[in-house]
Amino acid sequence: MSEEHPSPFPTALILDTSFLRTIGGTESTSYQTFIQYVRGEGIDLYLTPGVVEELAEQRGYISIDWVDRADTTAWINLIDTVQPGVRVHDGPRAGKIMDRVHERLAKFEQTDPDELRKTDSELPAAAVMLLGSTAHDSVGILIDDRNAERAISGVIDNTYYDGRIRVLSIWDAIEYIES
């Protein structure tokens, strides 16, 4: 069983492609609310290599160039390749979490694991890296994909990372920010 985490909202957020697509462009209220909160609270945003790859593929569907913003602003960061051997205290290694999330997600999606992209399973592995290499006490994964949310949560539950890595849907995050 994990200890309750002291902070109300993570100070580091990893953004999934589904979140970025759903939040909309600079004209949307959700985007404006989110960005104002993040900048006002000094929260760091992160993009994984898999998300960057998907953003490049979906350039016409997402109205903001998040990769360009990461290159030109201090509050969005690009994460290097996930290091599978990283772990924090007695938590599972990043690679093990990634593999377990990928297996669970393949079952939920009823897809051959070899045909399923690893973008969603890369997210909690990147969160482990951030916990181990930054001063952040907690890392949130912002996502708009129920199967990925369930897969990630199911793997980190009852591990050292439970409460330290938080899976947040876009709507829960926006509701928290607005309150």
Side-chain angles (χ1 to χ4, degrees):
M1 191 138 133
S2 67
E3 55 195 80
E4 187 174 324
H5 198 276
S7 64
F9 200 74
T11 56
L13 298 172
I14 298 174
L15 308 178
D16 183 48
T17 313
S18 63
F19 170 83
L20 297 173
R21 196 174 34 248
T22 302
I23 199 166
T26 56
E27 305 301 318
S28 87
T29 303
S30 296
Y31 173 88
Q32 290 298 327
T33 300
F34 176 69
I35 295 302
Q36 287 173 11
Y37 179 82
V38 164
R39 294 183 75 189
E41 296 294 319
I43 295 173
D44 295 324
L45 302 179
Y46 294 89
L47 302 175
T48 64
V51 169
V52 169
E53 183 180 319
E54 285 184 352
L55 290 173
E57 292 170 2
Q58 298 179 20
R59 210 170 278 274
Y61 299 103
I62 298 177
S63 59
I64 303 284
D65 188 346
W66 288 91
V67 178
D68 180 57
R69 295 249 168 123
D71 289 338
T72 59
T73 64
W75 47 278
I76 303 176
N77 305 286
L78 299 176
I79 296 174
D80 289 330
T81 305
V82 172
Q83 302 297 315
V86 173
R87 71 189 278 169
V88 180
H89 297 291
D90 65 347
R93 297 193 186 286
K96 183 174 183 174
I97 287 178
M98 189 169 166
D99 291 343
R100 289 178 60 205
V101 168
H102 192 72
E103 290 169 9
R104 286 178 62 97
L105 189 55
K107 285 180 186 174
F108 292 151
E109 301 278 336
Q110 298 179 354
T111 304
D112 181 342
D114 293 334
E115 294 177 19
L116 187 65
R117 291 182 86 144
K118 292 202 172 196
T119 305
D120 292 335
S121 56
E122 173 185 69
L123 301 172
V128 170
M129 286 179 43
L130 290 176
L131 287 173
S133 65
T134 65
H136 297 293
D137 292 332
S138 64
V139 176
I141 298 172
L142 286 172
I143 197 163
D144 188 27
D145 178 335
R146 293 280 183 218
N147 286 338
E149 288 175 41
R150 287 181 22 217
I152 294 167
S153 294
V155 169
I156 62 174
D157 280 351
N158 298 316
T159 69
Y160 174 81
Y161 307 120
D162 192 0
R164 290 174 174 82
I165 298 175
R166 301 186 197 160
V167 182
L168 307 165
S169 76
I170 179 177
W171 307 116
D172 291 341
I174 295 296
E175 182 180 317
Y176 174 83
I177 290 167
E178 288 176 340
S179 65

PDB file of all heavy atoms in Angstrom, residues 83-119:
ATOM      1  N   GLN A  83      15.029   5.295 -20.550  1.00  0.00           N
ATOM      2  CA  GLN A  83      16.063   4.382 -20.083  1.00  0.00           C
ATOM      3  C   GLN A  83      15.400   3.262 -19.282  1.00  0.00           C
ATOM      4  O   GLN A  83      14.934   3.493 -18.171  1.00  0.00           O
ATOM      5  CB  GLN A  83      17.070   5.130 -19.205  1.00  0.00           C
ATOM      6  CG  GLN A  83      17.743   6.295 -19.899  1.00  0.00           C
ATOM      7  CD  GLN A  83      18.562   5.856 -21.085  1.00  0.00           C
ATOM      8  OE1 GLN A  83      19.299   4.883 -21.019  1.00  0.00           O
ATOM      9  NE2 GLN A  83      18.425   6.560 -22.192  1.00  0.00           N
ATOM     10  N   PRO A  84      15.310   2.048 -19.822  1.00  0.00           N
ATOM     11  CA  PRO A  84      14.549   0.978 -19.178  1.00  0.00           C
ATOM     12  C   PRO A  84      15.073   0.541 -17.812  1.00  0.00           C
ATOM     13  O   PRO A  84      14.331   0.010 -16.998  1.00  0.00           O
ATOM     14  CB  PRO A  84      14.601  -0.178 -20.179  1.00  0.00           C
ATOM     15  CG  PRO A  84      15.677   0.159 -21.137  1.00  0.00           C
ATOM     16  CD  PRO A  84      15.898   1.629 -21.083  1.00  0.00           C
ATOM     17  N   GLY A  85      16.333   0.776 -17.518  1.00  0.00           N
ATOM     18  CA  GLY A  85      16.905   0.322 -16.242  1.00  0.00           C
ATOM     19  C   GLY A  85      16.674   1.254 -15.072  1.00  0.00           C
ATOM     20  O   GLY A  85      16.981   0.906 -13.931  1.00  0.00           O
ATOM     21  N   VAL A  86      16.109   2.421 -15.301  1.00  0.00           N
ATOM     22  CA  VAL A  86      15.907   3.400 -14.229  1.00  0.00           C
ATOM     23  C   VAL A  86      14.820   2.919 -13.283  1.00  0.00           C
ATOM     24  O   VAL A  86      13.794   2.387 -13.699  1.00  0.00           O
ATOM     25  CB  VAL A  86      15.525   4.781 -14.818  1.00  0.00           C
ATOM     26  CG1 VAL A  86      15.149   5.760 -13.723  1.00  0.00           C
ATOM     27  CG2 VAL A  86      16.657   5.327 -15.658  1.00  0.00           C
ATOM     28  N   ARG A  87      15.057   3.139 -11.992  1.00  0.00           N
ATOM     29  CA  ARG A  87      14.044   2.859 -10.980  1.00  0.00           C
ATOM     30  C   ARG A  87      14.257   3.818  -9.822  1.00  0.00           C
ATOM     31  O   ARG A  87      15.336   4.376  -9.663  1.00  0.00           O
ATOM     32  CB  ARG A  87      14.093   1.412 -10.522  1.00  0.00           C
ATOM     33  CG  ARG A  87      15.302   1.089  -9.687  1.00  0.00           C
ATOM     34  CD  ARG A  87      15.480  -0.361  -9.396  1.00  0.00           C
ATOM     35  NE  ARG A  87      14.661  -0.786  -8.276  1.00  0.00           N
ATOM     36  CZ  ARG A  87      14.485  -2.043  -7.954  1.00  0.00           C
ATOM     37  NH1 ARG A  87      15.044  -2.997  -8.674  1.00  0.00           N
ATOM     38  NH2 ARG A  87      13.767  -2.372  -6.927  1.00  0.00           N
ATOM     39  N   VAL A  88      13.232   4.012  -9.035  1.00  0.00           N
ATOM     40  CA  VAL A  88      13.313   4.884  -7.874  1.00  0.00           C
ATOM     41  C   VAL A  88      13.016   4.025  -6.648  1.00  0.00           C
ATOM     42  O   VAL A  88      11.983   3.342  -6.600  1.00  0.00           O
ATOM     43  CB  VAL A  88      12.321   6.056  -7.973  1.00  0.00           C
ATOM     44  CG1 VAL A  88      12.417   6.955  -6.753  1.00  0.00           C
ATOM     45  CG2 VAL A  88      12.560   6.858  -9.255  1.00  0.00           C
ATOM     46  N   HIS A  89      13.922   4.059  -5.683  1.00  0.00           N
ATOM     47  CA  HIS A  89      13.817   3.275  -4.442  1.00  0.00           C
ATOM     48  C   HIS A  89      13.461   1.830  -4.761  1.00  0.00           C
ATOM     49  O   HIS A  89      14.147   1.196  -5.544  1.00  0.00           O
ATOM     50  CB  HIS A  89      12.845   3.929  -3.464  1.00  0.00           C
ATOM     51  CG  HIS A  89      13.309   5.276  -3.025  1.00  0.00           C
ATOM     52  ND1 HIS A  89      14.406   5.455  -2.224  1.00  0.00           N
ATOM     53  CD2 HIS A  89      12.840   6.516  -3.297  1.00  0.00           C
ATOM     54  CE1 HIS A  89      14.609   6.745  -2.013  1.00  0.00           C
ATOM     55  NE2 HIS A  89      13.672   7.414  -2.658  1.00  0.00           N
ATOM     56  N   ASP A  90      12.372   1.320  -4.210  1.00  0.00           N
ATOM     57  CA  ASP A  90      12.039  -0.084  -4.453  1.00  0.00           C
ATOM     58  C   ASP A  90      10.962  -0.260  -5.519  1.00  0.00           C
ATOM     59  O   ASP A  90      10.362  -1.320  -5.638  1.00  0.00           O
ATOM     60  CB  ASP A  90      11.628  -0.777  -3.154  1.00  0.00           C
ATOM     61  CG  ASP A  90      10.347  -0.214  -2.556  1.00  0.00           C
ATOM     62  OD1 ASP A  90       9.900   0.864  -3.000  1.00  0.00           O
ATOM     63  OD2 ASP A  90       9.790  -0.838  -1.644  1.00  0.00           O
ATOM     64  N   GLY A  91      10.752   0.764  -6.321  1.00  0.00           N
ATOM     65  CA  GLY A  91       9.773   0.665  -7.399  1.00  0.00           C
ATOM     66  C   GLY A  91      10.301  -0.177  -8.547  1.00  0.00           C
ATOM     67  O   GLY A  91      11.509  -0.370  -8.697  1.00  0.00           O
ATOM     68  N   PRO A  92       9.391  -0.702  -9.359  1.00  0.00           N
ATOM     69  CA  PRO A  92       9.825  -1.482 -10.530  1.00  0.00           C
ATOM     70  C   PRO A  92      10.634  -0.620 -11.512  1.00  0.00           C
ATOM     71  O   PRO A  92      10.471   0.600 -11.564  1.00  0.00           O
ATOM     72  CB  PRO A  92       8.513  -1.921 -11.177  1.00  0.00           C
ATOM     73  CG  PRO A  92       7.434  -1.610 -10.216  1.00  0.00           C
ATOM     74  CD  PRO A  92       7.950  -0.591  -9.265  1.00  0.00           C
ATOM     75  N   ARG A  93      11.478  -1.247 -12.268  1.00  0.00           N
ATOM     76  CA  ARG A  93      12.267  -0.543 -13.289  1.00  0.00           C
ATOM     77  C   ARG A  93      11.339   0.005 -14.368  1.00  0.00           C
ATOM     78  O   ARG A  93      10.273  -0.558 -14.635  1.00  0.00           O
ATOM     79  CB  ARG A  93      13.291  -1.476 -13.904  1.00  0.00           C
ATOM     80  CG  ARG A  93      14.307  -1.956 -12.898  1.00  0.00           C
ATOM     81  CD  ARG A  93      15.495  -2.626 -13.555  1.00  0.00           C
ATOM     82  NE  ARG A  93      16.380  -3.208 -12.552  1.00  0.00           N
ATOM     83  CZ  ARG A  93      17.193  -2.516 -11.762  1.00  0.00           C
ATOM     84  NH1 ARG A  93      17.229  -1.218 -11.851  1.00  0.00           N
ATOM     85  NH2 ARG A  93      17.963  -3.119 -10.887  1.00  0.00           N
ATOM     86  N   ALA A  94      11.766   1.100 -14.997  1.00  0.00           N
ATOM     87  CA  ALA A  94      10.964   1.763 -16.036  1.00  0.00           C
ATOM     88  C   ALA A  94      10.616   0.797 -17.164  1.00  0.00           C
ATOM     89  O   ALA A  94       9.483   0.791 -17.655  1.00  0.00           O
ATOM     90  CB  ALA A  94      11.717   2.979 -16.579  1.00  0.00           C
ATOM     91  N   GLY A  95      11.558  -0.032 -17.570  1.00  0.00           N
ATOM     92  CA  GLY A  95      11.308  -0.990 -18.652  1.00  0.00           C
ATOM     93  C   GLY A  95      10.258  -2.020 -18.290  1.00  0.00           C
ATOM     94  O   GLY A  95       9.444  -2.416 -19.128  1.00  0.00           O
ATOM     95  N   LYS A  96      10.260  -2.459 -17.047  1.00  0.00           N
ATOM     96  CA  LYS A  96       9.267  -3.440 -16.604  1.00  0.00           C
ATOM     97  C   LYS A  96       7.878  -2.813 -16.615  1.00  0.00           C
ATOM     98  O   LYS A  96       6.906  -3.436 -17.060  1.00  0.00           O
ATOM     99  CB  LYS A  96       9.602  -3.964 -15.208  1.00  0.00           C
ATOM    100  CG  LYS A  96       8.652  -5.033 -14.733  1.00  0.00           C
ATOM    101  CD  LYS A  96       9.091  -5.640 -13.422  1.00  0.00           C
ATOM    102  CE  LYS A  96       8.134  -6.760 -13.046  1.00  0.00           C
ATOM    103  NZ  LYS A  96       8.576  -7.478 -11.859  1.00  0.00           N
ATOM    104  N   ILE A  97       7.771  -1.581 -16.149  1.00  0.00           N
ATOM    105  CA  ILE A  97       6.481  -0.885 -16.170  1.00  0.00           C
ATOM    106  C   ILE A  97       6.004  -0.734 -17.607  1.00  0.00           C
ATOM    107  O   ILE A  97       4.836  -0.991 -17.916  1.00  0.00           O
ATOM    108  CB  ILE A  97       6.587   0.485 -15.471  1.00  0.00           C
ATOM    109  CG1 ILE A  97       6.687   0.272 -13.970  1.00  0.00           C
ATOM    110  CG2 ILE A  97       5.410   1.377 -15.810  1.00  0.00           C
ATOM    111  CD1 ILE A  97       6.845   1.528 -13.178  1.00  0.00           C
ATOM    112  N   MET A  98       6.900  -0.332 -18.480  1.00  0.00           N
ATOM    113  CA  MET A  98       6.550  -0.141 -19.881  1.00  0.00           C
ATOM    114  C   MET A  98       6.023  -1.438 -20.495  1.00  0.00           C
ATOM    115  O   MET A  98       4.994  -1.441 -21.166  1.00  0.00           O
ATOM    116  CB  MET A  98       7.767   0.378 -20.651  1.00  0.00           C
ATOM    117  CG  MET A  98       7.499   0.816 -22.045  1.00  0.00           C
ATOM    118  SD  MET A  98       8.965   1.685 -22.653  1.00  0.00           S
ATOM    119  CE  MET A  98       8.605   1.727 -24.377  1.00  0.00           C
ATOM    120  N   ASP A  99       6.720  -2.534 -20.244  1.00  0.00           N
ATOM    121  CA  ASP A  99       6.303  -3.832 -20.797  1.00  0.00           C
ATOM    122  C   ASP A  99       4.950  -4.266 -20.239  1.00  0.00           C
ATOM    123  O   ASP A  99       4.090  -4.734 -20.990  1.00  0.00           O
ATOM    124  CB  ASP A  99       7.353  -4.906 -20.505  1.00  0.00           C
ATOM    125  CG  ASP A  99       8.644  -4.701 -21.272  1.00  0.00           C
ATOM    126  OD1 ASP A  99       8.646  -3.922 -22.265  1.00  0.00           O
ATOM    127  OD2 ASP A  99       9.665  -5.299 -20.877  1.00  0.00           O
ATOM    128  N   ARG A 100       4.750  -4.100 -18.948  1.00  0.00           N
ATOM    129  CA  ARG A 100       3.488  -4.520 -18.328  1.00  0.00           C
ATOM    130  C   ARG A 100       2.318  -3.667 -18.821  1.00  0.00           C
ATOM    131  O   ARG A 100       1.230  -4.191 -19.076  1.00  0.00           O
ATOM    132  CB  ARG A 100       3.615  -4.477 -16.810  1.00  0.00           C
ATOM    133  CG  ARG A 100       4.529  -5.590 -16.294  1.00  0.00           C
ATOM    134  CD  ARG A 100       4.721  -5.573 -14.801  1.00  0.00           C
ATOM    135  NE  ARG A 100       3.445  -5.736 -14.118  1.00  0.00           N
ATOM    136  CZ  ARG A 100       3.214  -5.287 -12.880  1.00  0.00           C
ATOM    137  NH1 ARG A 100       4.164  -4.664 -12.224  1.00  0.00           N
ATOM    138  NH2 ARG A 100       2.041  -5.470 -12.320  1.00  0.00           N
ATOM    139  N   VAL A 101       2.527  -2.357 -18.949  1.00  0.00           N
ATOM    140  CA  VAL A 101       1.467  -1.486 -19.477  1.00  0.00           C
ATOM    141  C   VAL A 101       1.149  -1.887 -20.909  1.00  0.00           C
ATOM    142  O   VAL A 101      -0.017  -1.971 -21.298  1.00  0.00           O
ATOM    143  CB  VAL A 101       1.862   0.012 -19.384  1.00  0.00           C
ATOM    144  CG1 VAL A 101       0.906   0.882 -20.192  1.00  0.00           C
ATOM    145  CG2 VAL A 101       1.901   0.464 -17.932  1.00  0.00           C
ATOM    146  N   HIS A 102       2.174  -2.157 -21.697  1.00  0.00           N
ATOM    147  CA  HIS A 102       1.974  -2.542 -23.097  1.00  0.00           C
ATOM    148  C   HIS A 102       1.162  -3.836 -23.202  1.00  0.00           C
ATOM    149  O   HIS A 102       0.238  -3.928 -24.020  1.00  0.00           O
ATOM    150  CB  HIS A 102       3.324  -2.685 -23.796  1.00  0.00           C
ATOM    151  CG  HIS A 102       3.224  -2.787 -25.273  1.00  0.00           C
ATOM    152  ND1 HIS A 102       2.883  -1.726 -26.079  1.00  0.00           N
ATOM    153  CD2 HIS A 102       3.390  -3.851 -26.096  1.00  0.00           C
ATOM    154  CE1 HIS A 102       2.852  -2.128 -27.336  1.00  0.00           C
ATOM    155  NE2 HIS A 102       3.157  -3.408 -27.374  1.00  0.00           N
ATOM    156  N   GLU A 103       1.474  -4.810 -22.351  1.00  0.00           N
ATOM    157  CA  GLU A 103       0.734  -6.081 -22.350  1.00  0.00           C
ATOM    158  C   GLU A 103      -0.732  -5.862 -21.960  1.00  0.00           C
ATOM    159  O   GLU A 103      -1.636  -6.405 -22.603  1.00  0.00           O
ATOM    160  CB  GLU A 103       1.376  -7.067 -21.370  1.00  0.00           C
ATOM    161  CG  GLU A 103       2.712  -7.595 -21.806  1.00  0.00           C
ATOM    162  CD  GLU A 103       3.438  -8.345 -20.691  1.00  0.00           C
ATOM    163  OE1 GLU A 103       2.827  -8.612 -19.622  1.00  0.00           O
ATOM    164  OE2 GLU A 103       4.630  -8.643 -20.874  1.00  0.00           O
ATOM    165  N   ARG A 104      -0.961  -5.076 -20.901  1.00  0.00           N
ATOM    166  CA  ARG A 104      -2.342  -4.808 -20.458  1.00  0.00           C
ATOM    167  C   ARG A 104      -3.126  -4.055 -21.524  1.00  0.00           C
ATOM    168  O   ARG A 104      -4.279  -4.364 -21.790  1.00  0.00           O
ATOM    169  CB  ARG A 104      -2.342  -3.999 -19.158  1.00  0.00           C
ATOM    170  CG  ARG A 104      -1.968  -4.793 -17.937  1.00  0.00           C
ATOM    171  CD  ARG A 104      -1.932  -3.904 -16.698  1.00  0.00           C
ATOM    172  NE  ARG A 104      -3.218  -3.322 -16.402  1.00  0.00           N
ATOM    173  CZ  ARG A 104      -4.089  -3.813 -15.528  1.00  0.00           C
ATOM    174  NH1 ARG A 104      -3.796  -4.910 -14.856  1.00  0.00           N
ATOM    175  NH2 ARG A 104      -5.231  -3.210 -15.303  1.00  0.00           N
ATOM    176  N   LEU A 105      -2.479  -3.075 -22.128  1.00  0.00           N
ATOM    177  CA  LEU A 105      -3.150  -2.281 -23.149  1.00  0.00           C
ATOM    178  C   LEU A 105      -3.497  -3.139 -24.370  1.00  0.00           C
ATOM    179  O   LEU A 105      -4.580  -3.002 -24.936  1.00  0.00           O
ATOM    180  CB  LEU A 105      -2.282  -1.087 -23.552  1.00  0.00           C
ATOM    181  CG  LEU A 105      -2.917  -0.047 -24.455  1.00  0.00           C
ATOM    182  CD1 LEU A 105      -4.223   0.494 -23.865  1.00  0.00           C
ATOM    183  CD2 LEU A 105      -1.952   1.101 -24.700  1.00  0.00           C
ATOM    184  N   ALA A 106      -2.610  -4.031 -24.740  1.00  0.00           N
ATOM    185  CA  ALA A 106      -2.883  -4.936 -25.865  1.00  0.00           C
ATOM    186  C   ALA A 106      -4.110  -5.801 -25.570  1.00  0.00           C
ATOM    187  O   ALA A 106      -4.942  -6.020 -26.455  1.00  0.00           O
ATOM    188  CB  ALA A 106      -1.665  -5.805 -26.160  1.00  0.00           C
ATOM    189  N   LYS A 107      -4.242  -6.256 -24.323  1.00  0.00           N
ATOM    190  CA  LYS A 107      -5.426  -7.040 -23.945  1.00  0.00           C
ATOM    191  C   LYS A 107      -6.683  -6.186 -24.018  1.00  0.00           C
ATOM    192  O   LYS A 107      -7.705  -6.619 -24.539  1.00  0.00           O
ATOM    193  CB  LYS A 107      -5.259  -7.614 -22.538  1.00  0.00           C
ATOM    194  CG  LYS A 107      -4.311  -8.774 -22.472  1.00  0.00           C
ATOM    195  CD  LYS A 107      -4.190  -9.310 -21.064  1.00  0.00           C
ATOM    196  CE  LYS A 107      -3.120 -10.385 -21.020  1.00  0.00           C
ATOM    197  NZ  LYS A 107      -2.852 -10.841 -19.666  1.00  0.00           N
ATOM    198  N   PHE A 108      -6.621  -4.965 -23.473  1.00  0.00           N
ATOM    199  CA  PHE A 108      -7.781  -4.071 -23.499  1.00  0.00           C
ATOM    200  C   PHE A 108      -8.188  -3.743 -24.937  1.00  0.00           C
ATOM    201  O   PHE A 108      -9.371  -3.674 -25.258  1.00  0.00           O
ATOM    202  CB  PHE A 108      -7.522  -2.765 -22.753  1.00  0.00           C
ATOM    203  CG  PHE A 108      -7.369  -2.907 -21.265  1.00  0.00           C
ATOM    204  CD1 PHE A 108      -6.587  -2.011 -20.559  1.00  0.00           C
ATOM    205  CD2 PHE A 108      -7.996  -3.916 -20.547  1.00  0.00           C
ATOM    206  CE1 PHE A 108      -6.448  -2.115 -19.189  1.00  0.00           C
ATOM    207  CE2 PHE A 108      -7.855  -4.039 -19.178  1.00  0.00           C
ATOM    208  CZ  PHE A 108      -7.077  -3.127 -18.493  1.00  0.00           C
ATOM    209  N   GLU A 109      -7.214  -3.523 -25.788  1.00  0.00           N
ATOM    210  CA  GLU A 109      -7.465  -3.145 -27.181  1.00  0.00           C
ATOM    211  C   GLU A 109      -7.723  -4.365 -28.065  1.00  0.00           C
ATOM    212  O   GLU A 109      -8.057  -4.215 -29.236  1.00  0.00           O
ATOM    213  CB  GLU A 109      -6.277  -2.356 -27.749  1.00  0.00           C
ATOM    214  CG  GLU A 109      -5.941  -1.082 -27.007  1.00  0.00           C
ATOM    215  CD  GLU A 109      -6.818   0.070 -27.406  1.00  0.00           C
ATOM    216  OE1 GLU A 109      -7.361   0.066 -28.516  1.00  0.00           O
ATOM    217  OE2 GLU A 109      -6.962   0.998 -26.589  1.00  0.00           O
ATOM    218  N   GLN A 110      -7.513  -5.551 -27.521  1.00  0.00           N
ATOM    219  CA  GLN A 110      -7.635  -6.801 -28.264  1.00  0.00           C
ATOM    220  C   GLN A 110      -6.800  -6.752 -29.544  1.00  0.00           C
ATOM    221  O   GLN A 110      -7.271  -7.020 -30.651  1.00  0.00           O
ATOM    222  CB  GLN A 110      -9.105  -7.108 -28.566  1.00  0.00           C
ATOM    223  CG  GLN A 110      -9.918  -7.294 -27.311  1.00  0.00           C
ATOM    224  CD  GLN A 110     -11.377  -7.568 -27.584  1.00  0.00           C
ATOM    225  OE1 GLN A 110     -11.840  -7.512 -28.726  1.00  0.00           O
ATOM    226  NE2 GLN A 110     -12.112  -7.870 -26.540  1.00  0.00           N
ATOM    227  N   THR A 111      -5.537  -6.383 -29.349  1.00  0.00           N
ATOM    228  CA  THR A 111      -4.595  -6.210 -30.448  1.00  0.00           C
ATOM    229  C   THR A 111      -3.320  -6.988 -30.137  1.00  0.00           C
ATOM    230  O   THR A 111      -2.922  -7.091 -28.979  1.00  0.00           O
ATOM    231  CB  THR A 111      -4.244  -4.705 -30.611  1.00  0.00           C
ATOM    232  OG1 THR A 111      -5.436  -3.976 -30.801  1.00  0.00           O
ATOM    233  CG2 THR A 111      -3.307  -4.456 -31.761  1.00  0.00           C
ATOM    234  N   ASP A 112      -2.688  -7.502 -31.162  1.00  0.00           N
ATOM    235  CA  ASP A 112      -1.403  -8.162 -31.002  1.00  0.00           C
ATOM    236  C   ASP A 112      -0.407  -7.132 -30.451  1.00  0.00           C
ATOM    237  O   ASP A 112      -0.254  -6.050 -31.035  1.00  0.00           O
ATOM    238  CB  ASP A 112      -0.933  -8.684 -32.364  1.00  0.00           C
ATOM    239  CG  ASP A 112       0.387  -9.418 -32.307  1.00  0.00           C
ATOM    240  OD1 ASP A 112       1.141  -9.271 -31.325  1.00  0.00           O
ATOM    241  OD2 ASP A 112       0.677 -10.150 -33.270  1.00  0.00           O
ATOM    242  N   PRO A 113       0.285  -7.447 -29.354  1.00  0.00           N
ATOM    243  CA  PRO A 113       1.234  -6.492 -28.776  1.00  0.00           C
ATOM    244  C   PRO A 113       2.299  -6.010 -29.764  1.00  0.00           C
ATOM    245  O   PRO A 113       2.763  -4.875 -29.679  1.00  0.00           O
ATOM    246  CB  PRO A 113       1.880  -7.255 -27.622  1.00  0.00           C
ATOM    247  CG  PRO A 113       0.943  -8.357 -27.310  1.00  0.00           C
ATOM    248  CD  PRO A 113       0.214  -8.677 -28.581  1.00  0.00           C
ATOM    249  N   ASP A 114       2.666  -6.871 -30.727  1.00  0.00           N
ATOM    250  CA  ASP A 114       3.678  -6.479 -31.707  1.00  0.00           C
ATOM    251  C   ASP A 114       3.163  -5.441 -32.697  1.00  0.00           C
ATOM    252  O   ASP A 114       3.949  -4.758 -33.348  1.00  0.00           O
ATOM    253  CB  ASP A 114       4.182  -7.708 -32.475  1.00  0.00           C
ATOM    254  CG  ASP A 114       4.950  -8.659 -31.576  1.00  0.00           C
ATOM    255  OD1 ASP A 114       5.516  -8.205 -30.564  1.00  0.00           O
ATOM    256  OD2 ASP A 114       4.966  -9.867 -31.883  1.00  0.00           O
ATOM    257  N   GLU A 115       1.842  -5.323 -32.814  1.00  0.00           N
ATOM    258  CA  GLU A 115       1.243  -4.350 -33.735  1.00  0.00           C
ATOM    259  C   GLU A 115       0.850  -3.049 -33.040  1.00  0.00           C
ATOM    260  O   GLU A 115       0.523  -2.070 -33.699  1.00  0.00           O
ATOM    261  CB  GLU A 115       0.016  -4.967 -34.408  1.00  0.00           C
ATOM    262  CG  GLU A 115       0.360  -6.121 -35.318  1.00  0.00           C
ATOM    263  CD  GLU A 115      -0.876  -6.770 -35.915  1.00  0.00           C
ATOM    264  OE1 GLU A 115      -1.948  -6.141 -35.923  1.00  0.00           O
ATOM    265  OE2 GLU A 115      -0.754  -7.922 -36.380  1.00  0.00           O
ATOM    266  N   LEU A 116       0.868  -3.046 -31.715  1.00  0.00           N
ATOM    267  CA  LEU A 116       0.454  -1.883 -30.930  1.00  0.00           C
ATOM    268  C   LEU A 116       1.637  -0.950 -30.687  1.00  0.00           C
ATOM    269  O   LEU A 116       2.711  -1.402 -30.283  1.00  0.00           O
ATOM    270  CB  LEU A 116      -0.114  -2.366 -29.584  1.00  0.00           C
ATOM    271  CG  LEU A 116      -0.745  -1.340 -28.675  1.00  0.00           C
ATOM    272  CD1 LEU A 116      -2.002  -0.747 -29.311  1.00  0.00           C
ATOM    273  CD2 LEU A 116      -1.091  -1.989 -27.333  1.00  0.00           C
ATOM    274  N   ARG A 117       1.437   0.324 -30.955  1.00  0.00           N
ATOM    275  CA  ARG A 117       2.487   1.313 -30.703  1.00  0.00           C
ATOM    276  C   ARG A 117       2.790   1.378 -29.210  1.00  0.00           C
ATOM    277  O   ARG A 117       1.929   1.124 -28.385  1.00  0.00           O
ATOM    278  CB  ARG A 117       2.041   2.685 -31.178  1.00  0.00           C
ATOM    279  CG  ARG A 117       1.946   2.785 -32.676  1.00  0.00           C
ATOM    280  CD  ARG A 117       1.541   4.171 -33.050  1.00  0.00           C
ATOM    281  NE  ARG A 117       2.740   4.985 -33.119  1.00  0.00           N
ATOM    282  CZ  ARG A 117       2.908   5.946 -34.015  1.00  0.00           C
ATOM    283  NH1 ARG A 117       1.964   6.237 -34.870  1.00  0.00           N
ATOM    284  NH2 ARG A 117       4.010   6.638 -34.024  1.00  0.00           N
ATOM    285  N   LYS A 118       4.000   1.776 -28.881  1.00  0.00           N
ATOM    286  CA  LYS A 118       4.413   1.829 -27.480  1.00  0.00           C
ATOM    287  C   LYS A 118       4.310   3.233 -26.886  1.00  0.00           C
ATOM    288  O   LYS A 118       4.788   3.464 -25.779  1.00  0.00           O
ATOM    289  CB  LYS A 118       5.827   1.297 -27.329  1.00  0.00           C
ATOM    290  CG  LYS A 118       5.913  -0.187 -27.614  1.00  0.00           C
ATOM    291  CD  LYS A 118       7.106  -0.799 -26.974  1.00  0.00           C
ATOM    292  CE  LYS A 118       7.026  -2.308 -27.135  1.00  0.00           C
ATOM    293  NZ  LYS A 118       7.908  -2.998 -26.259  1.00  0.00           N
ATOM    294  N   THR A 119       3.674   4.141 -27.567  1.00  0.00           N
ATOM    295  CA  THR A 119       3.595   5.513 -27.082  1.00  0.00           C
ATOM    296  C   THR A 119       2.956   5.590 -25.700  1.00  0.00           C
ATOM    297  O   THR A 119       3.501   6.225 -24.796  1.00  0.00           O
ATOM    298  CB  THR A 119       2.817   6.401 -28.073  1.00  0.00           C
ATOM    299  OG1 THR A 119       3.432   6.302 -29.352  1.00  0.00           O
ATOM    300  CG2 THR A 119       2.809   7.843 -27.624  1.00  0.00           C
TER     301      THR A 119
END
